[in-house]
Amino acid sequence: MRVCSVKPTPSAPERPSAPGSPSLGAVLRGCRVAAGLSIEALAERCGVSARAISDIERDRVRRPQRRTLTVLFEVLAVPDDERRRLVEATSVRPAVPDPPRYFSGRATELRALGDIARRPPGDRQQATVVVVTGPAGVGKTSLVLRATADLATEFPDGRFFVDLRGMDDVPTTPGEALHRLLRALGVPEQRIPAGRDERATAYRSALCERRALVVWDNAADEAQARPLLPGAGRSLVLFTSRRRLSGLDPAQWLSLEPLPAEDSTAMLRAIAGPVAVDPAELSELARHCGHMPLALRVTGQRLSAEPGLSVAELNRRFTGEQARLRVIDADTAGIHTALSLSYRRLGDDLRRTFRRLSLMPGPDFGPDPVAVVTDVPDADAEQRLEALVESGLVAAVPADRYGLHDLVRAFAADRLTAEEPDAAGPLRTSSLRWWLSRTTAAGRHFEPDGPPSLTQFRDRGAATAWLDAERGNWFGALRSAAAEGLYGPVVETVDALHWFSDSRVHLDLWPEVFRLSAESAARLGDPRTEAVHLNYLSWAQAICQREYAGSVTTAMRALDRAVDAGDLAQQGWALLYAASGHTGLGDHAAALRQRQQAWVLLRRAGDPEGLPQAMASLGTSLLSLGRPTEALRVHQRTRCLLRDPRYPIAAFARAATDALNCRRIAGDLAALDRWPECVTALREAVARLRASAMPAFEALVSVELVEALRRTGETRDAPAYLRRAIELADDCDDPDLAGRAATLLAELAPDGVDPGGQVPVATRAKARTSGCGS
């Protein structure tokens, strides 16, 4: 069970490289040349694909995976100071993907978007919204990426891109999409609201004073898109969707059709390279592709990869394949044929690999899970993926990963069912089990005393990086596993993730994750485990969504299941979660009653973590009800319990709960106007939070300590606490707290100079509080 919801340091906002500093690609290229290595030789030494190294050196990939960067630094002996600079400069994924390498036509559409973007704002109060719509494979995303690159100078406050995954079984939720954009806009994690509507308000506020370009790609429908509409301002917001989204009121529409014959022929020629061909034959091939950019791209790659293949022969094969295919949607006939012909030219191993890529549960992936479903070494899997990239069937995604267009994924799934009917089911199950096992191993690193034994991840940092990078995959695997009846593995995986969820409370996925595990536990007929996971779900509803009423309802369901199981501890935890929901609703009397009941149950159950949690929260309820003397008495008893060496509790839980309880004691003393004692309690809280490595709370309590010191007039050491608080708040990406500390520091310095520093504090306070425009 949770001791506290402490957020670790989130990623820092993107910082530009220092003026004149060489790029990552330039540095790595220089080191490679100095070492006398070719790209192929370097790839062999470090186990990174030659394509990935080439893309990094050409700065086509601005944020490689950390493991890729580390091994390249080691092999090339990049100096430590340069490593630090490059890691900082590449710490955030670029806001917008690069436009496609081969792009043809669309001059009218690009001109229309340019005219809209450059239109004088006049008295316009509403940001401009354009919906780019058209059938699958017609090039909607390619168009907006080309336009976004062309219009870069028109939008000095940034260009941003979020894939809404509209064709997935479960598209990206509006809340998660808004979270991603707010982080890209520079809003600190701590300032992102929990609720979807509040996030939408923050998004509109952030855009209000900016001139930015936002792309919401692949929208599913109006329900997904409507919360993403901007408010007032001079920004341009582009949606792409296969649907018209006619319910988006202030929008303008730009419908895409297949390319004109001349443009589609030009695209084929550009991709295929300098080949001697009859223009009429090339025009016929473009017609076979339906003039659809996706089909043209795959077919052009085919010509490029097989210099001996004539356009006339490829036209003959298209004709035969289209005659063979019985039922095809007219809109995708050319795409399906192009995919089929490219697939059939692959060798057996590559066809097998391609089919099984449809088993990947997320939008993009690395070689590791592909090696699992194809039963080959990782190096072989990567070589096969690179060959599929060259064929045009697989897309190379930045950070050394791979992805499939949804039409290509559907084609691969169809081939898997048709060609491996007996193996498809077992392969899917083994793939899901691999994802859940790996996710469980990563999640165990976040348990209070660490993983029970050595796992597949060297430390918590590596586990964090994997869970963040593979979120789409492990979340998709959980959904699929629950749907396929793998209830035991689902419960085990989610149980391992529940401590990790404390560090990612702003993700919309936790209510769904814990709902899946609670339903899986119910399917297993295990009321105690169902109660545990309903309690987790209650936490997610209250903390992640601020759905306090729903949290109370879920906690009471957990209580019922715990009663059925005869588990006193889970009954106590359910009452604690219900009390948290009532606290959020402002019903402190109900919260107090439930916490009193929880204390009795957890004491009877002998739950070592739950009992001090119940006592501490009970005291908090008393303080909220205006009973500080009683609250102080309860919190002092909690302190005695936690500091009794005979009390059996995990070391982390003891230290964290004790540190936070010191802060509660200080709050009680402040309510009683006992400021000297309050200062003593806060000093102890700061020291214990520092020892427990809880930087976010240490920064907050340090500021509270200085505010209490001002009450006593003893502020001699206050600047030292404030300087530390500013440093920690910066590290924790909390500019509000940093600004609060800097303002206090300025007020405490009579001559305008920080007593322990070199920078005038008034200037620093101004810098700290400027923040972002949200």
Side-chain angles (χ1 to χ4, degrees), residues 270-289:
I271 299 173
V275 292
V277 60
D278 182 342
E281 291 180 344
L282 202 61
S283 296
E284 183 182 0
L285 185 57
R287 181 180 59 78
H288 280 308
C289 292

Side-chain angles (χ1 to χ4, degrees), residues 665-742:
I665 288 173
D668 302 333
L669 292 166
L672 293 166
D673 286 329
R674 292 161 59 175
W675 291 105
E677 294 169 88
C678 173
V679 165
T680 300
L682 287 171
R683 287 188 191 276
E684 185 176 7
V686 169
R688 289 180 177 273
L689 289 166
R690 185 175 304 180
S692 301
M694 300 167 71
F697 274 111
E698 183 190 342
L700 174 61
V701 178
S702 294
V703 173
E704 293 173 344
L705 169 58
V706 171
E707 290 170 339
L709 284 168
R710 296 180 75 183
R711 294 277 190 155
T712 68
E714 297 291 334
T715 58
R716 190 178 320 167
D717 57 350
Y721 281 108
L722 291 172
R723 288 194 298 274
R724 169 81 174 168
I726 291 170
E727 179 183 350
L728 292 173
D730 279 345
D731 288 344
C732 292
D733 200 7
D734 191 345
D736 283 347
L737 185 59
R740 181 177 162 191

Side-chain angles (χ1 to χ4, degrees), residues 99 121 124 180 186 209 265 301 405 407 421 446 596 682 751:
R124 187 177 70 216
R180 294 180 192 172
E209 299 302 324
T265 303
Q301 290 284 109
H405 188 284
L407 289 180
F446 297 86
Q596 288 169 330
L682 287 171
D751 57 358

Side-chain angles (χ1 to χ4, degrees), residues 106 109 130-144 167 217-220 239-246 252-259 292-293 329 331-332 335 405-407:
R106 303 299 190 201
E109 292 86 351
V130 178
V131 178
V132 179
T133 185
V138 80
K140 299 180 292 295
T141 302
S142 295
L143 172 70
V144 298
M167 295 300 108
D217 188 47
N218 198 6
F239 287 90
T240 72
S241 179
R242 294 180 192 176
R243 300 185 179 184
R244 182 168 171 78
L245 306 184
S246 52
Q252 304 175 53
W253 281 265
L254 183 62
S255 296
L256 294 192
E257 302 293 338
L259 288 170
M292 298 291 274
D329 184 342
D331 283 341
T332 59
I335 295 172
H405 188 284
D406 52 14
L407 289 180

Side-chain angles (χ1 to χ4, degrees), residues 209-472:
E209 299 302 324
R210 303 174 190 234
R211 179 155 172 77
L213 194 160
V214 177
V215 176
W216 299 110
D217 188 47
N218 198 6
D221 49 33
E222 286 95 337
Q224 184 193 36
R226 195 168 287 110
L228 311 178
L229 289 170
R234 298 176 299 125
S235 293
L236 172 62
V237 174
L238 303 177
F239 287 90
T240 72
S241 179
R242 294 180 192 176
R243 300 185 179 184
R244 182 168 171 78
L245 306 184
S246 52
L248 299 187
D249 267 341
Q252 304 175 53
W253 281 265
L254 183 62
S255 296
L256 294 192
E257 302 293 338
L259 288 170
E262 183 179 348
D263 291 337
S264 58
T265 303
M267 176 179 278
L268 272 180
R269 190 181 298 279
I271 299 173
V275 292
V277 60
D278 182 342
E281 291 180 344
L282 202 61
S283 296
E284 183 182 0
L285 185 57
R287 181 180 59 78
H288 280 308
C289 292
H291 304 294
M292 298 291 274
L294 176 59
L296 293 165
R297 190 166 287 111
V298 172
T299 303
Q301 290 284 109
R302 175 82 186 273
L303 286 170
S304 175
E306 291 186 74
L309 177 65
S310 70
V311 174
E313 172 61 16
L314 195 50
N315 276 324
R316 186 187 68 77
R317 295 182 190 180
F318 255 94
T319 302
E321 180 70 10
Q322 288 173 335
R324 187 182 69 82
L325 295 171
R326 295 177 181 274
V327 180
I328 277 187
D329 184 342
D331 283 341
T332 59
I335 295 172
H336 193 289
T337 305
L339 295 175
S340 180
L341 290 174
S342 291
Y343 171 75
R344 286 164 57 188
R345 73 165 286 272
L346 301 174
D348 289 343
D349 287 345
L350 287 181
R351 283 203 299 268
R352 178 169 170 266
T353 299
F354 172 74
R355 292 192 299 267
R356 296 184 180 189
L357 294 183
S358 64
L359 299 170
M360 297 299 105
D364 56 70
F365 43 85
D368 296 359
V370 178
V372 172
V373 297
T374 53
D375 195 25
V376 298
D378 288 357
D380 290 352
E382 186 167 13
Q383 289 177 0
R384 293 183 184 186
L385 286 166
E386 289 298 322
L388 289 169
V389 169
E390 292 301 318
S391 75
L393 293 171
V394 172
V397 179
D400 211 8
R401 292 171 71 82
Y402 306 86
L404 299 175
H405 188 284
D406 52 14
L407 289 180
V408 179
R409 183 185 289 267
F411 177 81
D414 176 71
R415 291 298 85 211
L416 180 65
T417 301
E419 298 181 35
E420 299 185 70
D422 296 332
L427 280 170
R428 181 174 176 79
T429 300
S430 64
S431 172
L432 292 174
R433 287 186 180 277
W434 181 88
W435 281 107
L436 298 190
S437 173
R438 187 115 171 143
T439 305
T440 300
R444 295 293 181 206
H445 279 271
F446 297 86
E447 294 175 344
D449 294 321
S453 61
L454 292 177
T455 73
Q456 301 154 23
F457 302 93
R458 65 181 182 276
D459 54 29
R460 181 177 289 191
T464 300
W466 188 87
L467 287 168
D468 285 341
E470 302 294 352
R471 185 186 307 152

Side-chain angles (χ1 to χ4, degrees), residues 355-644:
R355 292 192 299 267
R356 296 184 180 189
L357 294 183
S358 64
L359 299 170
M360 297 299 105
D364 56 70
F365 43 85
D368 296 359
V370 178
V372 172
V373 297
T374 53
D375 195 25
V376 298
D378 288 357
D380 290 352
E382 186 167 13
Q383 289 177 0
R384 293 183 184 186
L385 286 166
E386 289 298 322
L388 289 169
V389 169
E390 292 301 318
S391 75
L393 293 171
V394 172
V397 179
D400 211 8
R401 292 171 71 82
Y402 306 86
L404 299 175
H405 188 284
D406 52 14
L407 289 180
V408 179
R409 183 185 289 267
F411 177 81
D414 176 71
R415 291 298 85 211
L416 180 65
T417 301
E419 298 181 35
E420 299 185 70
D422 296 332
L427 280 170
R428 181 174 176 79
T429 300
S430 64
S431 172
L432 292 174
R433 287 186 180 277
W434 181 88
W435 281 107
L436 298 190
S437 173
R438 187 115 171 143
T439 305
T440 300
R444 295 293 181 206
H445 279 271
F446 297 86
E447 294 175 344
D449 294 321
S453 61
L454 292 177
T455 73
Q456 301 154 23
F457 302 93
R458 65 181 182 276
D459 54 29
R460 181 177 289 191
T464 300
W466 188 87
L467 287 168
D468 285 341
E470 302 294 352
R471 185 186 307 152
N473 283 300
W474 59 255
F475 186 34
L478 277 172
R479 278 201 184 109
S480 297
E484 296 201 3
L486 299 176
Y487 304 127
V490 167
V491 168
E492 181 183 7
T493 300
V494 175
D495 195 62
L497 284 172
H498 96 272
W499 284 101
F500 173 69
S501 67
D502 271 335
S503 69
R504 297 293 185 272
V505 295
H506 291 293
L507 298 180
D508 277 3
L509 55 79
W510 295 120
E512 173 73 1
V513 166
F514 295 129
R515 183 189 64 77
L516 289 171
S517 60
E519 290 177 354
S520 294
R523 295 291 189 116
L524 292 170
D526 184 345
R528 182 198 174 276
T529 303
E530 185 183 356
V532 170
H533 288 265
L534 284 170
N535 278 329
Y536 295 163
L537 175 56
S538 176
W539 169 88
Q541 289 170 322
I543 300 299
C544 304
Q545 293 183 316
R546 301 294 192 265
E547 291 286 344
Y548 299 116
S551 174
V552 172
T553 300
T554 300
M556 299 316 290
R557 286 174 54 206
L559 178 62
D560 289 342
R561 303 309 288 144
V563 169
D564 291 343
D567 191 304
L568 296 179
Q570 287 306 314
Q571 292 173 43
W573 280 105
L575 287 165
L576 285 182
Y577 285 120
S580 294
H582 280 299
T583 299
L585 293 169
D587 190 349
H588 300 296
L592 176 62
R593 290 192 299 272
Q594 289 175 328
R595 284 165 173 165
Q596 288 169 330
Q597 296 172 45
W599 177 79
V600 172
L601 289 167
L602 291 164
R603 185 178 181 186
R604 286 173 56 195
D607 187 303
E609 279 86 24
L611 182 58
Q613 287 286 306
M615 293 172 67
S617 61
L618 195 157
T620 300
S621 286
L622 289 168
L623 182 63
S624 298
L625 289 166
R627 297 157 64 180
T629 301
E630 295 170 77
L632 178 60
R633 189 158 52 244
V634 171
H635 288 142
Q636 287 172 334
R637 288 178 61 190
T638 306
R639 179 176 61 190
C640 291
L641 181 68
L642 290 166
R643 296 185 186 181
D644 183 349

Side-chain angles (χ1 to χ4, degrees), residues 146-161:
R146 179 71 269 163
T148 299
D150 292 347
L151 296 169
T153 58
E154 299 293 328
F155 296 96
D157 297 321
R159 296 165 297 136
F160 306 92
F161 181 97

